Amino acid sequence: MLFAKSRGFSSLSGGLYSRWMATKATSSLDGFNFPGPRALRNIAKLPLLDKESPERVSEIWKLHHAELKTAIGDVLTPSQYGTLMQRAQRCPLFVLPVYNTKRTGHFMVFVQWQDKHCLITYLDDYKRLGGAAAPYMIVSLFDDLVKTKDVALVRGEVFTDRLSKSDSSKLLVDLKKWYLGAERNYDLLIRFNERPSEFQLDEILRQS
């Protein structure tokens, strides 16, 4: 078996999840409490991936996550990975809308990067609870295979039934659009983080 068994949301809904959320953040940033997402070696068997071509590694990763209900997978080139890490370090905070199916309404989520992990939670929860807010989704970047396979692996794990798999996939697309897209998108990230008085939420809503 190439991949470890996925935990899924339901397995975190009891006492384990409560203890998980009570754990102090291991990162130095003020923000969400989280235990640190699992290492890639705890998700996939790296010796088996090492035997595959770069193209096959990407294909296997995406196909595996396509079968999961509470996780999504993607890949980045080394250049994309480097750019994303650089921009996330400078602009670790952002907000994104999650629209309903008919796009007649939406709620906002708060984004915070902590090193190679992006924590996403309900914006109103973060306003109320700060670092005690439960993450809706955690996006993790794995650079284990960048040097050998020229690919960085991306995994998004969903911890709430408020986000569908389609919602989580769209959030990942939006993250890439803002952090890897046009220069004007990056400019908006900079304004949000460094010059908030110049930031206009409508600019995000128009492009989402």
Side-chain angles (χ1 to χ4, degrees):
M1 183 180 293
L2 183 59
F3 292 94
K5 186 176 181 181
S6 175
R7 292 176 298 170
F9 171 67
S10 59
S11 64
L12 291 173
S13 60
L16 175 62
Y17 185 62
S18 299
R19 293 194 298 274
W20 188 74
M21 284 308 304
T23 305
K24 293 297 183 183
T26 55
S27 297
S28 60
L29 285 174
D30 292 331
F32 303 112
N33 295 328
F34 78 112
R38 294 174 297 173
L40 182 59
R41 65 179 179 273
N42 294 328
I43 299 172
K45 294 185 178 179
L46 290 177
L48 295 182
L49 286 179
D50 283 336
K51 296 178 181 179
E52 304 289 348
S53 68
E55 295 78 15
R56 182 61 179 152
V57 168
S58 298
E59 181 183 12
I60 290 171
W61 185 254
K62 290 180 179 179
L63 286 175
H64 169 69
H65 286 88
E67 298 174 352
L68 302 180
K69 293 182 179 180
T70 59
I72 57 175
D74 199 3
V75 297
L76 300 173
T77 66
S79 176
Q80 289 174 320
Y81 172 75
T83 298
L84 179 52
M85 289 302 301
Q86 180 183 27
R87 293 182 173 183
Q89 184 175 16
R90 180 176 178 180
C91 303
L93 308 178
F94 203 48
V95 290
L96 291 169
V98 177
Y99 285 92
N100 60 26
T101 305
K102 297 182 179 179
R103 293 185 66 86
T104 56
H106 69 274
F107 62 87
M108 300 298 297
V109 294
F110 182 69
V111 170
Q112 183 183 47
W113 285 92
Q114 296 191 8
D115 192 28
K116 299 172 186 175
H117 312 293
C118 179
L119 296 95
I120 300 171
T121 196
Y122 186 41
L123 179 59
D124 285 352
D125 284 353
Y126 187 76
K127 288 178 178 178
R128 252 184 337 109
L129 303 172
Y136 276 21
M137 178 179 174
I138 297 177
V139 177
S140 299
L141 309 182
F142 302 105
D143 59 4
D144 308 57
L145 301 177
V146 166
K147 291 183 178 179
T148 58
K149 301 297 180 182
D150 283 331
V151 64
L153 302 180
V154 182
R155 178 182 174 93
E157 291 194 74
V158 178
F159 299 101
T160 176
D161 55 8
R162 190 166 185 178
L163 286 181
S164 67
K165 185 155 188 175
S166 176
D167 292 333
S168 58
S169 296
K170 180 62 167 57
L171 279 173
L172 183 54
V173 169
D174 285 346
L175 279 176
K176 291 169 63 177
K177 179 176 72 176
W178 289 103
Y179 282 88
L180 292 174
E183 198 66 28
R184 66 177 182 275
N185 292 353
Y186 184 39
D187 289 341
L188 188 60
L189 286 173
I190 294 173
R191 292 208 304 275
F192 183 85
N193 283 268
E194 299 178 4
R195 304 190 302 277
S197 62
E198 300 176 16
F199 172 76
Q200 297 292 329
L201 182 61
D202 286 346
E203 295 183 72
I204 295 178
L205 297 179
R206 283 197 300 267
Q207 296 188 55
S208 298

